[in-house]
Amino acid sequence: MIPVMRRGRQALPQAVCEEILTRSTAGVLALADADGFPYTVPLSYLYQEGKIWFHCARAGYKLDLMRQNPRASFCVIGQDQVVPEEYTTYYRSVVARGTLREVTDPAVREDIARRLGRKYAPAQPEEALEAELRQYRDAVCILELTVEQLTGKEGSQLARQRRGEAQL
């Protein structure tokens, strides 16, 4: 269970959280080992329909940890603007929590790999994407995080702007 956000007036609406996840290109996946020690890794990703997909090698530490404990969280920073004269940061961030699993259906794996390719290389010709998919089809693992909880927060200055309140 996640505690209630201490500064609830800074909570982002779900639609804004989803927009940040859709627009952003990198985040940090957090897993825990058998002793509860955290492990985090930055990843490219795709967010659609309440799921976050990642691609990775077919072996490695994150897969070992996922198999031990599939619960994970994923954090994306949608805005990070340091404002030195105000001694603050104008930020927006999102944290998704859920259950991680390996996608084993070959058709689904290929579909997600294709969507990832289109997200990160939208100007590349379709033939180039298809060639890349053929080359790495058997080497790529696709992970799926089913989002069970999505929360977002923004700096107090941005929250006041969003609510139309005057700055202090």
Side-chain angles (χ1 to χ4, degrees):
M1 183 179 102
I2 295 288
V4 175
M5 189 178 298
R6 185 173 62 86
R7 294 189 174 174
R9 291 172 57 92
Q10 290 175 241
L12 290 172
Q14 288 295 142
V16 175
C17 292
E18 290 187 354
E19 189 275 325
I20 289 170
L21 279 177
T22 301
R23 174 179 40 84
S24 299
T25 59
V28 178
L29 180 68
L31 302 162
D33 68 16
D35 296 323
F37 196 80
Y39 173 75
T40 59
V41 60
L43 295 171
S44 302
Y45 71 96
L46 173 70
Y47 173 76
Q48 292 178 342
E49 303 153 8
K51 297 190 185 295
I52 302 171
W53 290 283
F54 314 96
H55 74 288
C56 62
R58 298 192 63 80
Y61 191 53
K62 86 173 135 297
L63 291 176
D64 295 342
L65 293 180
M66 178 199 70
R67 290 176 182 128
Q68 292 172 24
N69 179 0
R71 296 183 336 188
S73 68
F74 186 66
C75 178
V76 172
I77 298 171
Q79 180 176 343
D80 179 31
Q81 177 188 356
V82 176
V83 185
E85 62 275 8
E86 295 180 27
Y87 297 94
T88 194
T89 303
Y90 292 3
Y91 69 90
R92 286 190 174 102
S93 62
V94 173
V95 175
R97 292 168 43 110
T99 303
L100 196 60
R101 73 174 187 94
E102 182 177 350
V103 176
T104 56
D105 181 307
V108 175
R109 285 181 50 224
E110 189 159 326
D111 176 57
I112 298 304
R114 186 171 283 107
R115 290 194 229 175
L116 280 159
R118 286 189 185 124
K119 176 180 179 177
Y120 289 94
Q124 293 298 311
E126 191 68 23
E127 304 81 45
L129 174 59
E130 292 304 319
E132 189 79 4
L133 291 172
R134 278 191 305 277
Q135 181 178 354
Y136 293 103
R137 178 175 289 127
D138 296 329
V140 171
C141 176
I142 300 290
L143 301 179
E144 175 185 279
L145 178 66
T146 299
V147 177
E148 297 165 14
Q149 182 180 45
L150 184 62
T151 58
K153 186 177 177 185
E154 63 189 347
S156 58
Q157 300 82 357
L158 294 175
R160 283 193 298 274
Q161 286 175 358
R162 188 172 40 80
R163 292 190 307 266
E165 297 175 6
Q167 296 292 323
L168 297 177

